[in-house]
Amino acid sequence: MFYEGRIYRPPSEAKSIILQITVGCQHNACTFCTMYKEKSYRVKSHAEIKDIITTTIARDSDAERIFLADGDALAVDTLLLIEILDQLYANLPRLKRVGIYGGPKDILAKSTKELEALKAHGLTMVYLGVESGNEEILTSVCKGVTSEQLITAGQKVKASGLILSCTIIIGLGGKALSQVHALDTARVISSIDPHYLGALTLMVEPLAPLSKAIERGTFQLLTPFETLSEIRTLLEQLQVTQCVFRSNHASNYLPLRATLPFDREELLKSLDNVIEKQAIEQLCPEVWRGL
Ligand code: SF4
C-alpha cells in the first residue's frame, strides 16, 4: 500500500488495514505533537481513494477492519466519506468495522444528521483526542478548542450512535499542573461518558515545540511514578456509565486495562501496590517506550 509520510493509528486498530484518505492534520499546531509536521494537509481526491480501494484494498477480500487516516480524516466532506464507505463495503464482503480519527473541530463542523448518515453507511468508531480537560493546559499546548467544545464534540458523536474512543495524555500539565490536569480531565471525560478511553503518557520529541519549554526548564516532565499517581487520581474521579479503559500504548510505563466503573477498586489497589513499593521492575523501561 502506498502511504504519504509516516502513518499513525490507535493501538486498537493494529489489525486494521489503514486507508489514508487525508494527508496530515489541518490543525497541526499542538505543541507536543510532531506526527504530521512534515506534511501539508490535503484531502486525497475521490479518484485516488477509489483507485486504492479497488486495486489494493479489495485484494484482501477477508478484511474485516479498516481504519481511515491521517490525523483528522473526519474533516473530509460527508458525501465523499459516504462514497468511500459504500465502496469499502461493496469491495470487502466481510467488512465489519471502520474507524476514523476525528478532531474536535471536524466533529463540531458536522451536524448530528451527518454523523448519523455516516453511521448508517458503516462508519463504526470515532477516535477523539481530548488530551486534557484543563483550560490552561489546552491553551498552552495550542489544542485549538476549549474543554466545553471537547465535551460538545464527544457528546455529539455519542448522540449519533457511533462508538466513541477518547484519548488523553498523562503528564501533559507537567509537574506544575499534574493534579488539576487529572481532575479536570476526569470531569470532561465524565461529561462525555465515552465507550473507550485510552491513555498515552507524554513523550516529547526534539522537534516538538514543547521540547523548548523543557530545555528552558519552564515545563518539567513527570517521573514514572508521578505519571501513575496522576492516572490514579483520574481513575478515582471518573464517573462513567461503562467505559473500557486502556493504557496499552507504547508510551505508557504500566499497561492497564479495565472496564469502569466496575473494575475501579481492583485497578486502584494494583496501582497503589506499584506506587507504594516503588516497583520499578513492573514498569516499562524508558528505552522501550515509544510513540
Ligand atoms: S495532536 Fe492531533 S490535532 Fe494536534 S497537531 Fe497532532 S494530529 Fe493534529
PDB file of all heavy atoms in Angstrom, residues 55-85:
ATOM      1  N   THR A  55      -7.904  -1.332  -6.375  1.00  0.00           N
ATOM      2  CA  THR A  55      -6.705  -2.047  -6.848  1.00  0.00           C
ATOM      3  C   THR A  55      -5.904  -2.689  -5.720  1.00  0.00           C
ATOM      4  O   THR A  55      -5.231  -3.685  -5.925  1.00  0.00           O
ATOM      5  CB  THR A  55      -5.757  -1.105  -7.637  1.00  0.00           C
ATOM      6  OG1 THR A  55      -5.351  -0.056  -6.756  1.00  0.00           O
ATOM      7  CG2 THR A  55      -6.422  -0.547  -8.868  1.00  0.00           C
ATOM      8  N   THR A  56      -5.945  -2.125  -4.512  1.00  0.00           N
ATOM      9  CA  THR A  56      -5.097  -2.650  -3.428  1.00  0.00           C
ATOM     10  C   THR A  56      -5.923  -3.264  -2.304  1.00  0.00           C
ATOM     11  O   THR A  56      -5.761  -4.438  -1.973  1.00  0.00           O
ATOM     12  CB  THR A  56      -4.208  -1.517  -2.858  1.00  0.00           C
ATOM     13  OG1 THR A  56      -3.587  -0.842  -3.943  1.00  0.00           O
ATOM     14  CG2 THR A  56      -3.151  -2.061  -1.927  1.00  0.00           C
ATOM     15  N   ILE A  57      -6.823  -2.479  -1.718  1.00  0.00           N
ATOM     16  CA  ILE A  57      -7.547  -2.964  -0.538  1.00  0.00           C
ATOM     17  C   ILE A  57      -8.459  -4.135  -0.890  1.00  0.00           C
ATOM     18  O   ILE A  57      -8.548  -5.118  -0.142  1.00  0.00           O
ATOM     19  CB  ILE A  57      -8.330  -1.799   0.102  1.00  0.00           C
ATOM     20  CG1 ILE A  57      -7.328  -0.843   0.749  1.00  0.00           C
ATOM     21  CG2 ILE A  57      -9.358  -2.295   1.110  1.00  0.00           C
ATOM     22  CD1 ILE A  57      -7.930   0.301   1.511  1.00  0.00           C
ATOM     23  N   ALA A  58      -9.102  -4.082  -2.058  1.00  0.00           N
ATOM     24  CA  ALA A  58     -10.052  -5.135  -2.435  1.00  0.00           C
ATOM     25  C   ALA A  58      -9.381  -6.491  -2.601  1.00  0.00           C
ATOM     26  O   ALA A  58     -10.036  -7.531  -2.556  1.00  0.00           O
ATOM     27  CB  ALA A  58     -10.774  -4.732  -3.721  1.00  0.00           C
ATOM     28  N   ARG A  59      -8.043  -6.482  -2.773  1.00  0.00           N
ATOM     29  CA  ARG A  59      -7.333  -7.763  -2.921  1.00  0.00           C
ATOM     30  C   ARG A  59      -7.403  -8.592  -1.638  1.00  0.00           C
ATOM     31  O   ARG A  59      -7.327  -9.800  -1.659  1.00  0.00           O
ATOM     32  CB  ARG A  59      -5.869  -7.501  -3.277  1.00  0.00           C
ATOM     33  CG  ARG A  59      -5.654  -7.362  -4.758  1.00  0.00           C
ATOM     34  CD  ARG A  59      -4.181  -7.475  -5.091  1.00  0.00           C
ATOM     35  NE  ARG A  59      -3.700  -6.219  -5.635  1.00  0.00           N
ATOM     36  CZ  ARG A  59      -2.553  -5.633  -5.303  1.00  0.00           C
ATOM     37  NH1 ARG A  59      -1.754  -6.194  -4.436  1.00  0.00           N
ATOM     38  NH2 ARG A  59      -2.213  -4.499  -5.849  1.00  0.00           N
ATOM     39  N   ASP A  60      -7.548  -7.895  -0.507  1.00  0.00           N
ATOM     40  CA  ASP A  60      -7.655  -8.606   0.765  1.00  0.00           C
ATOM     41  C   ASP A  60      -9.134  -8.847   1.068  1.00  0.00           C
ATOM     42  O   ASP A  60      -9.756  -8.175   1.879  1.00  0.00           O
ATOM     43  CB  ASP A  60      -7.016  -7.765   1.888  1.00  0.00           C
ATOM     44  CG  ASP A  60      -6.860  -8.549   3.170  1.00  0.00           C
ATOM     45  OD1 ASP A  60      -7.450  -9.644   3.276  1.00  0.00           O
ATOM     46  OD2 ASP A  60      -6.158  -8.067   4.068  1.00  0.00           O
ATOM     47  N   SER A  61      -9.699  -9.819   0.377  1.00  0.00           N
ATOM     48  CA  SER A  61     -11.150  -9.997   0.437  1.00  0.00           C
ATOM     49  C   SER A  61     -11.635 -10.474   1.811  1.00  0.00           C
ATOM     50  O   SER A  61     -12.828 -10.462   2.093  1.00  0.00           O
ATOM     51  CB  SER A  61     -11.617 -10.981  -0.635  1.00  0.00           C
ATOM     52  OG  SER A  61     -10.920 -12.197  -0.462  1.00  0.00           O
ATOM     53  N   ASP A  62     -10.697 -10.900   2.688  1.00  0.00           N
ATOM     54  CA  ASP A  62     -11.086 -11.336   4.035  1.00  0.00           C
ATOM     55  C   ASP A  62     -11.046 -10.185   5.046  1.00  0.00           C
ATOM     56  O   ASP A  62     -11.358 -10.385   6.226  1.00  0.00           O
ATOM     57  CB  ASP A  62     -10.144 -12.435   4.543  1.00  0.00           C
ATOM     58  CG  ASP A  62     -10.426 -13.757   3.854  1.00  0.00           C
ATOM     59  OD1 ASP A  62     -11.539 -13.899   3.323  1.00  0.00           O
ATOM     60  OD2 ASP A  62      -9.532 -14.607   3.834  1.00  0.00           O
ATOM     61  N   ALA A  63     -10.674  -9.001   4.603  1.00  0.00           N
ATOM     62  CA  ALA A  63     -10.501  -7.883   5.546  1.00  0.00           C
ATOM     63  C   ALA A  63     -11.797  -7.573   6.285  1.00  0.00           C
ATOM     64  O   ALA A  63     -12.865  -7.482   5.692  1.00  0.00           O
ATOM     65  CB  ALA A  63     -10.027  -6.645   4.790  1.00  0.00           C
ATOM     66  N   GLU A  64     -11.665  -7.439   7.608  1.00  0.00           N
ATOM     67  CA  GLU A  64     -12.848  -7.159   8.440  1.00  0.00           C
ATOM     68  C   GLU A  64     -12.805  -5.755   9.031  1.00  0.00           C
ATOM     69  O   GLU A  64     -13.808  -5.265   9.531  1.00  0.00           O
ATOM     70  CB  GLU A  64     -12.940  -8.187   9.574  1.00  0.00           C
ATOM     71  CG  GLU A  64     -13.174  -9.589   9.059  1.00  0.00           C
ATOM     72  CD  GLU A  64     -13.387 -10.591  10.180  1.00  0.00           C
ATOM     73  OE1 GLU A  64     -13.251 -10.218  11.368  1.00  0.00           O
ATOM     74  OE2 GLU A  64     -13.686 -11.751   9.851  1.00  0.00           O
ATOM     75  N   ARG A  65     -11.600  -5.150   9.035  1.00  0.00           N
ATOM     76  CA  ARG A  65     -11.466  -3.843   9.695  1.00  0.00           C
ATOM     77  C   ARG A  65     -10.686  -2.863   8.824  1.00  0.00           C
ATOM     78  O   ARG A  65      -9.639  -3.213   8.291  1.00  0.00           O
ATOM     79  CB  ARG A  65     -10.698  -3.993  11.006  1.00  0.00           C
ATOM     80  CG  ARG A  65     -11.404  -4.790  12.049  1.00  0.00           C
ATOM     81  CD  ARG A  65     -10.467  -4.989  13.203  1.00  0.00           C
ATOM     82  NE  ARG A  65     -11.173  -5.469  14.366  1.00  0.00           N
ATOM     83  CZ  ARG A  65     -10.775  -5.286  15.612  1.00  0.00           C
ATOM     84  NH1 ARG A  65      -9.662  -4.627  15.855  1.00  0.00           N
ATOM     85  NH2 ARG A  65     -11.463  -5.744  16.624  1.00  0.00           N
ATOM     86  N   ILE A  66     -11.182  -1.658   8.766  1.00  0.00           N
ATOM     87  CA  ILE A  66     -10.480  -0.582   8.051  1.00  0.00           C
ATOM     88  C   ILE A  66     -10.341   0.588   9.014  1.00  0.00           C
ATOM     89  O   ILE A  66     -11.261   0.884   9.788  1.00  0.00           O
ATOM     90  CB  ILE A  66     -11.284  -0.127   6.805  1.00  0.00           C
ATOM     91  CG1 ILE A  66     -11.417  -1.247   5.779  1.00  0.00           C
ATOM     92  CG2 ILE A  66     -10.666   1.132   6.185  1.00  0.00           C
ATOM     93  CD1 ILE A  66     -10.181  -1.508   4.929  1.00  0.00           C
ATOM     94  N   PHE A  67      -9.193   1.259   8.947  1.00  0.00           N
ATOM     95  CA  PHE A  67      -9.035   2.496   9.709  1.00  0.00           C
ATOM     96  C   PHE A  67      -8.702   3.617   8.740  1.00  0.00           C
ATOM     97  O   PHE A  67      -7.800   3.505   7.913  1.00  0.00           O
ATOM     98  CB  PHE A  67      -7.909   2.357  10.747  1.00  0.00           C
ATOM     99  CG  PHE A  67      -7.714   3.613  11.536  1.00  0.00           C
ATOM    100  CD1 PHE A  67      -8.686   4.027  12.435  1.00  0.00           C
ATOM    101  CD2 PHE A  67      -6.600   4.400  11.350  1.00  0.00           C
ATOM    102  CE1 PHE A  67      -8.543   5.215  13.148  1.00  0.00           C
ATOM    103  CE2 PHE A  67      -6.439   5.583  12.066  1.00  0.00           C
ATOM    104  CZ  PHE A  67      -7.419   5.987  12.966  1.00  0.00           C
ATOM    105  N   LEU A  68      -9.474   4.715   8.829  1.00  0.00           N
ATOM    106  CA  LEU A  68      -9.291   5.853   7.936  1.00  0.00           C
ATOM    107  C   LEU A  68      -8.364   6.877   8.579  1.00  0.00           C
ATOM    108  O   LEU A  68      -8.649   7.408   9.641  1.00  0.00           O
ATOM    109  CB  LEU A  68     -10.653   6.487   7.600  1.00  0.00           C
ATOM    110  CG  LEU A  68     -11.691   5.545   6.962  1.00  0.00           C
ATOM    111  CD1 LEU A  68     -13.022   6.256   6.757  1.00  0.00           C
ATOM    112  CD2 LEU A  68     -11.180   5.001   5.629  1.00  0.00           C
ATOM    113  N   ALA A  69      -7.255   7.175   7.917  1.00  0.00           N
ATOM    114  CA  ALA A  69      -6.258   8.131   8.407  1.00  0.00           C
ATOM    115  C   ALA A  69      -6.155   9.256   7.361  1.00  0.00           C
ATOM    116  O   ALA A  69      -6.724   9.143   6.271  1.00  0.00           O
ATOM    117  CB  ALA A  69      -4.917   7.405   8.573  1.00  0.00           C
ATOM    118  N   ASP A  70      -5.401  10.352   7.585  1.00  0.00           N
ATOM    119  CA  ASP A  70      -4.494  10.672   8.669  1.00  0.00           C
ATOM    120  C   ASP A  70      -5.236  11.332   9.843  1.00  0.00           C
ATOM    121  O   ASP A  70      -6.378  11.017  10.115  1.00  0.00           O
ATOM    122  CB  ASP A  70      -3.399  11.624   8.175  1.00  0.00           C
ATOM    123  CG  ASP A  70      -2.231  10.889   7.508  1.00  0.00           C
ATOM    124  OD1 ASP A  70      -2.097   9.694   7.657  1.00  0.00           O
ATOM    125  OD2 ASP A  70      -1.442  11.546   6.840  1.00  0.00           O
ATOM    126  N   GLY A  71      -4.554  12.352  10.393  1.00  0.00           N
ATOM    127  CA  GLY A  71      -4.929  12.958  11.667  1.00  0.00           C
ATOM    128  C   GLY A  71      -6.377  13.323  11.879  1.00  0.00           C
ATOM    129  O   GLY A  71      -6.940  13.011  12.911  1.00  0.00           O
ATOM    130  N   ASP A  72      -6.966  14.024  10.937  1.00  0.00           N
ATOM    131  CA  ASP A  72      -8.380  14.368  11.131  1.00  0.00           C
ATOM    132  C   ASP A  72      -9.162  14.023   9.867  1.00  0.00           C
ATOM    133  O   ASP A  72      -9.712  14.882   9.193  1.00  0.00           O
ATOM    134  CB  ASP A  72      -8.572  15.831  11.546  1.00  0.00           C
ATOM    135  CG  ASP A  72      -7.875  16.804  10.622  1.00  0.00           C
ATOM    136  OD1 ASP A  72      -7.136  16.335   9.729  1.00  0.00           O
ATOM    137  OD2 ASP A  72      -8.091  18.008  10.760  1.00  0.00           O
ATOM    138  N   ALA A  73      -9.188  12.720   9.585  1.00  0.00           N
ATOM    139  CA  ALA A  73      -9.849  12.240   8.363  1.00  0.00           C
ATOM    140  C   ALA A  73     -11.338  12.596   8.345  1.00  0.00           C
ATOM    141  O   ALA A  73     -11.949  12.708   7.277  1.00  0.00           O
ATOM    142  CB  ALA A  73      -9.654  10.730   8.237  1.00  0.00           C
ATOM    143  N   LEU A  74     -11.914  12.808   9.519  1.00  0.00           N
ATOM    144  CA  LEU A  74     -13.341  13.145   9.575  1.00  0.00           C
ATOM    145  C   LEU A  74     -13.616  14.543   9.002  1.00  0.00           C
ATOM    146  O   LEU A  74     -14.756  14.913   8.773  1.00  0.00           O
ATOM    147  CB  LEU A  74     -13.847  13.057  11.024  1.00  0.00           C
ATOM    148  CG  LEU A  74     -15.358  13.021  11.229  1.00  0.00           C
ATOM    149  CD1 LEU A  74     -15.984  11.786  10.620  1.00  0.00           C
ATOM    150  CD2 LEU A  74     -15.705  13.101  12.707  1.00  0.00           C
ATOM    151  N   ALA A  75     -12.561  15.309   8.738  1.00  0.00           N
ATOM    152  CA  ALA A  75     -12.743  16.639   8.125  1.00  0.00           C
ATOM    153  C   ALA A  75     -13.214  16.515   6.673  1.00  0.00           C
ATOM    154  O   ALA A  75     -13.720  17.479   6.106  1.00  0.00           O
ATOM    155  CB  ALA A  75     -11.436  17.417   8.174  1.00  0.00           C
ATOM    156  N   VAL A  76     -13.063  15.328   6.105  1.00  0.00           N
ATOM    157  CA  VAL A  76     -13.478  15.117   4.706  1.00  0.00           C
ATOM    158  C   VAL A  76     -14.977  15.351   4.568  1.00  0.00           C
ATOM    159  O   VAL A  76     -15.760  14.992   5.459  1.00  0.00           O
ATOM    160  CB  VAL A  76     -13.088  13.675   4.268  1.00  0.00           C
ATOM    161  CG1 VAL A  76     -13.692  13.314   2.924  1.00  0.00           C
ATOM    162  CG2 VAL A  76     -11.569  13.545   4.232  1.00  0.00           C
ATOM    163  N   ASP A  77     -15.367  15.942   3.443  1.00  0.00           N
ATOM    164  CA  ASP A  77     -16.775  16.214   3.157  1.00  0.00           C
ATOM    165  C   ASP A  77     -17.626  14.950   3.379  1.00  0.00           C
ATOM    166  O   ASP A  77     -17.243  13.857   2.967  1.00  0.00           O
ATOM    167  CB  ASP A  77     -16.869  16.667   1.697  1.00  0.00           C
ATOM    168  CG  ASP A  77     -18.289  16.896   1.273  1.00  0.00           C
ATOM    169  OD1 ASP A  77     -18.859  17.917   1.672  1.00  0.00           O
ATOM    170  OD2 ASP A  77     -18.830  16.003   0.581  1.00  0.00           O
ATOM    171  N   THR A  78     -18.768  15.124   4.001  1.00  0.00           N
ATOM    172  CA  THR A  78     -19.595  13.966   4.387  1.00  0.00           C
ATOM    173  C   THR A  78     -20.006  13.117   3.182  1.00  0.00           C
ATOM    174  O   THR A  78     -19.990  11.879   3.250  1.00  0.00           O
ATOM    175  CB  THR A  78     -20.846  14.449   5.152  1.00  0.00           C
ATOM    176  OG1 THR A  78     -20.390  15.189   6.295  1.00  0.00           O
ATOM    177  CG2 THR A  78     -21.701  13.281   5.633  1.00  0.00           C
ATOM    178  N   LEU A  79     -20.350  13.772   2.066  1.00  0.00           N
ATOM    179  CA  LEU A  79     -20.788  12.997   0.890  1.00  0.00           C
ATOM    180  C   LEU A  79     -19.649  12.130   0.347  1.00  0.00           C
ATOM    181  O   LEU A  79     -19.862  10.987  -0.044  1.00  0.00           O
ATOM    182  CB  LEU A  79     -21.314  13.928  -0.204  1.00  0.00           C
ATOM    183  CG  LEU A  79     -22.674  14.575   0.105  1.00  0.00           C
ATOM    184  CD1 LEU A  79     -23.089  15.511  -1.014  1.00  0.00           C
ATOM    185  CD2 LEU A  79     -23.748  13.525   0.350  1.00  0.00           C
ATOM    186  N   LEU A  80     -18.434  12.680   0.379  1.00  0.00           N
ATOM    187  CA  LEU A  80     -17.285  11.892  -0.085  1.00  0.00           C
ATOM    188  C   LEU A  80     -17.023  10.742   0.888  1.00  0.00           C
ATOM    189  O   LEU A  80     -16.769   9.601   0.468  1.00  0.00           O
ATOM    190  CB  LEU A  80     -16.040  12.783  -0.221  1.00  0.00           C
ATOM    191  CG  LEU A  80     -14.733  12.080  -0.590  1.00  0.00           C
ATOM    192  CD1 LEU A  80     -14.894  11.244  -1.860  1.00  0.00           C
ATOM    193  CD2 LEU A  80     -13.601  13.081  -0.775  1.00  0.00           C
ATOM    194  N   LEU A  81     -17.138  11.013   2.193  1.00  0.00           N
ATOM    195  CA  LEU A  81     -16.945   9.934   3.180  1.00  0.00           C
ATOM    196  C   LEU A  81     -17.960   8.815   2.956  1.00  0.00           C
ATOM    197  O   LEU A  81     -17.631   7.631   3.048  1.00  0.00           O
ATOM    198  CB  LEU A  81     -17.094  10.492   4.599  1.00  0.00           C
ATOM    199  CG  LEU A  81     -15.856  11.118   5.238  1.00  0.00           C
ATOM    200  CD1 LEU A  81     -16.197  11.733   6.576  1.00  0.00           C
ATOM    201  CD2 LEU A  81     -14.748  10.081   5.408  1.00  0.00           C
ATOM    202  N   ILE A  82     -19.193   9.202   2.658  1.00  0.00           N
ATOM    203  CA  ILE A  82     -20.239   8.181   2.414  1.00  0.00           C
ATOM    204  C   ILE A  82     -19.878   7.349   1.182  1.00  0.00           C
ATOM    205  O   ILE A  82     -20.001   6.108   1.193  1.00  0.00           O
ATOM    206  CB  ILE A  82     -21.625   8.865   2.283  1.00  0.00           C
ATOM    207  CG1 ILE A  82     -22.101   9.303   3.677  1.00  0.00           C
ATOM    208  CG2 ILE A  82     -22.643   7.933   1.629  1.00  0.00           C
ATOM    209  CD1 ILE A  82     -23.370  10.131   3.689  1.00  0.00           C
ATOM    210  N   GLU A  83     -19.395   8.011   0.140  1.00  0.00           N
ATOM    211  CA  GLU A  83     -19.000   7.257  -1.073  1.00  0.00           C
ATOM    212  C   GLU A  83     -17.848   6.296  -0.755  1.00  0.00           C
ATOM    213  O   GLU A  83     -17.826   5.156  -1.214  1.00  0.00           O
ATOM    214  CB  GLU A  83     -18.583   8.218  -2.181  1.00  0.00           C
ATOM    215  CG  GLU A  83     -19.784   8.911  -2.816  1.00  0.00           C
ATOM    216  CD  GLU A  83     -19.382   9.783  -3.989  1.00  0.00           C
ATOM    217  OE1 GLU A  83     -18.582   9.328  -4.819  1.00  0.00           O
ATOM    218  OE2 GLU A  83     -19.866  10.925  -4.059  1.00  0.00           O
ATOM    219  N   ILE A  84     -16.897   6.766   0.056  1.00  0.00           N
ATOM    220  CA  ILE A  84     -15.753   5.897   0.429  1.00  0.00           C
ATOM    221  C   ILE A  84     -16.257   4.686   1.220  1.00  0.00           C
ATOM    222  O   ILE A  84     -15.873   3.540   0.957  1.00  0.00           O
ATOM    223  CB  ILE A  84     -14.718   6.700   1.254  1.00  0.00           C
ATOM    224  CG1 ILE A  84     -14.075   7.788   0.393  1.00  0.00           C
ATOM    225  CG2 ILE A  84     -13.657   5.792   1.852  1.00  0.00           C
ATOM    226  CD1 ILE A  84     -13.277   8.819   1.193  1.00  0.00           C
ATOM    227  N   LEU A  85     -17.142   4.947   2.177  1.00  0.00           N
ATOM    228  CA  LEU A  85     -17.683   3.841   2.988  1.00  0.00           C
ATOM    229  C   LEU A  85     -18.430   2.849   2.096  1.00  0.00           C
ATOM    230  O   LEU A  85     -18.245   1.625   2.217  1.00  0.00           O
ATOM    231  CB  LEU A  85     -18.627   4.394   4.065  1.00  0.00           C
ATOM    232  CG  LEU A  85     -17.943   5.141   5.222  1.00  0.00           C
ATOM    233  CD1 LEU A  85     -18.953   5.971   6.011  1.00  0.00           C
ATOM    234  CD2 LEU A  85     -17.229   4.158   6.150  1.00  0.00           C
TER     235      LEU A  85
END
